[in-house]
Amino acid sequence: MNRVAVVTGGASGVGLAIGRHLARQGHRIAVLDRDGTTAERAAGDLRDGGAEAQAFAVDVADRAAVESTFAAVRTGLGPVHVLVTSAAVSGFTPLDAITWEEWDRYLAVNLSGTFACIRAALPDMVEAGWGRIVTISSAAGQTGVARQTHYSATKGGVIALTKAVAKEYAGRGITANSLPPFAVETPMLAHARDSGDLPAPEVLQRMIPAGRVGTPDDLAATCAFLCSEEAGYLTGQVIGVNGGAVT
Ligand SMILES: NC(=O)c1ccc[n+]([C@@H]2O[C@H](COP(=O)([O-])OP(=O)(O)OC[C@H]3O[C@@H](n4cnc5c(N)ncnc54)[C@H](O)[C@@H]3O)[C@@H](O)[C@H]2O)c1
C-alpha cells in the first residue's frame, strides 16, 4: 500500500518511530515538526532507507500555517490518506502557578493543533472514501495527572475529539483512533526525568505491570496496524499500549 502519511511531531520520539514503521509499509511520509532541522534529518534518514519522504517545518498551533503545509504536502507527495498526530507540549506546573499564557499554549498545540491537522487532512480522505487517523493522546487524558491539569485537559480533549471524528466519518471509509501512552522512552520523558518531575525509575517501573517503560516502537507497531487496510472496522477506540499501566 502506498499512500501519503502525515506524521506531526515526526522528528522525535514516538512520531519518529511511527514514520519509520509507516515507511516500511510502503507509505510516502510527510514529517511535520516545529523543529525543521530535526524534521529534515528524520526525512533524510527515511529516504536513506529507500522511502519517499519530505520534511515540513510547521507549528501546529498556527492554523494558517497548517493549511498551507497540507497544501504543500499535497503538491509534493500527493493527497493525504493517513494522519498521525504526535506533536505536543508537556510539562509539570502546579495548578495555581499555571499562567494563562501557558494554558493557552497547551490548548493551542495539543488540542487545537490536532483539530487543525484533522480538518486539513479530511477533504482528501473523504474524496478517496478511505482514511486513517491516529491521535497520540496520553494516559494523563484518561486518569488525570497532578501538576498536569493543563496537559491532562488537552489530552482528554484529544480523546473525545477522536471519538467524535470516528462517529462523524465512520460511514465514509475513515477511521479515527487514539493511542494514549503512559511512559515511553523519548526526549519528552527524559526531559521530565531530568527536571525531577517523574518518580525514580524503579518507582515508575513498579507502576507498569509489564515491568518496563515503553519504547517508541511499541507504540509505532500498533499505530501501523491502525493505519492498515485490515483495520477498517476498528474505529473510535482508545488503545492503551502501556504495559498494563492503565486498563
Ligand atoms: N513519552 C511519553 O512518556 C509520553 C507519555 C504520554 C503521552 N505522550 C505523547 O506522545 C506524543 C509524542 O511525544 P514524545 O514522547 O515522542 O515527545 P518528543 O518531545 O520526543 O516529540 C514531540 C515532537 O513534537 C514536536 N512538536 C512540539 N510542539 C510542536 C508544535 N507546536 N508543532 C509541531 N511540532 C511540535 C517536537 O518538536 C518533537 O519533535 C505526544 O503527543 C505526547 O504528549 C508521550
Side-chain angles (χ1 to χ4, degrees):
M1 198 172 44
N2 182 347
R3 299 188 186 266
V4 174
V6 168
V7 184
T8 76
S12 174
V14 172
L16 182 63
I18 288 170
R20 286 197 201 110
H21 279 244
L22 293 178
R24 232 178 280 146
Q25 286 193 329
H27 296 298
R28 286 162 276 158
I29 311 298
V31 178
L32 269 59
D33 206 284
R34 184 183 51 185
D35 185 336
T37 308
T38 51
E40 284 294 349
R41 197 180 310 139
D45 288 347
L46 292 173
R47 285 194 296 271
D48 290 346
E52 202 178 329
Q54 281 184 32
F56 299 85
V58 62
D59 178 345
V60 296
D62 181 340
R63 291 169 202 168
V66 167
E67 283 297 332
S68 60
T69 299
F70 274 77
V73 171
R74 257 174 229 120
T75 305
L77 292 170
V80 177
H81 295 153
V82 176
L83 170 67
V84 181
T85 59
S86 189
V89 285
S90 177
F92 291 76
T93 312
L95 184 149
D96 59 3
I98 293 173
T99 63
W100 284 111
E101 193 185 9
E102 203 180 353
W103 174 263
D104 288 343
R105 179 70 185 157
Y106 273 64
L107 276 167
V109 175
N110 297 3
L111 185 53
S112 302
T114 301
F115 178 71
C117 291
I118 290 173
R119 195 139 88 161
L122 272 168
D124 286 349
M125 298 183 185
V126 169
E127 169 91 26
W130 195 97
R132 298 285 185 265
I133 297 168
V134 179
T135 60
I136 308 301
S137 50
S138 172
Q142 299 173 292
T143 65
V145 170
R147 293 184 304 119
Q148 287 204 300
T149 51
H150 48 356
Y151 180 75
S152 302
T154 64
K155 292 298 192 173
V158 167
I159 289 171
L161 165 65
T162 309
K163 290 182 180 186
V165 170
K167 293 215 164 139
E168 192 163 334
Y169 285 88
R172 288 181 256 186
I174 298 165
T175 68
N177 294 287
S178 194
L179 296 178
F182 179 77
V184 186
E185 197 55 64
T186 68
M188 185 183 277
L189 188 87
H191 181 262
R193 187 170 43 226
D194 295 348
S195 313
D197 286 317
L198 288 184
E202 58 279 11
V203 177
L204 186 62
Q205 270 174 24
R206 276 202 298 276
M207 294 163 75
I208 304 169
R212 68 168 176 86
V213 165
T215 66
D217 283 332
D218 288 327
L219 273 291
T222 300
C223 183
F225 174 68
L226 290 173
C227 295
S228 71
E229 207 67 51
E230 297 92 312
Y233 196 57
L234 205 177
T235 195
Q237 305 304 314
V238 180
I239 301 167
V241 183
N242 57 27
V246 179
T247 56

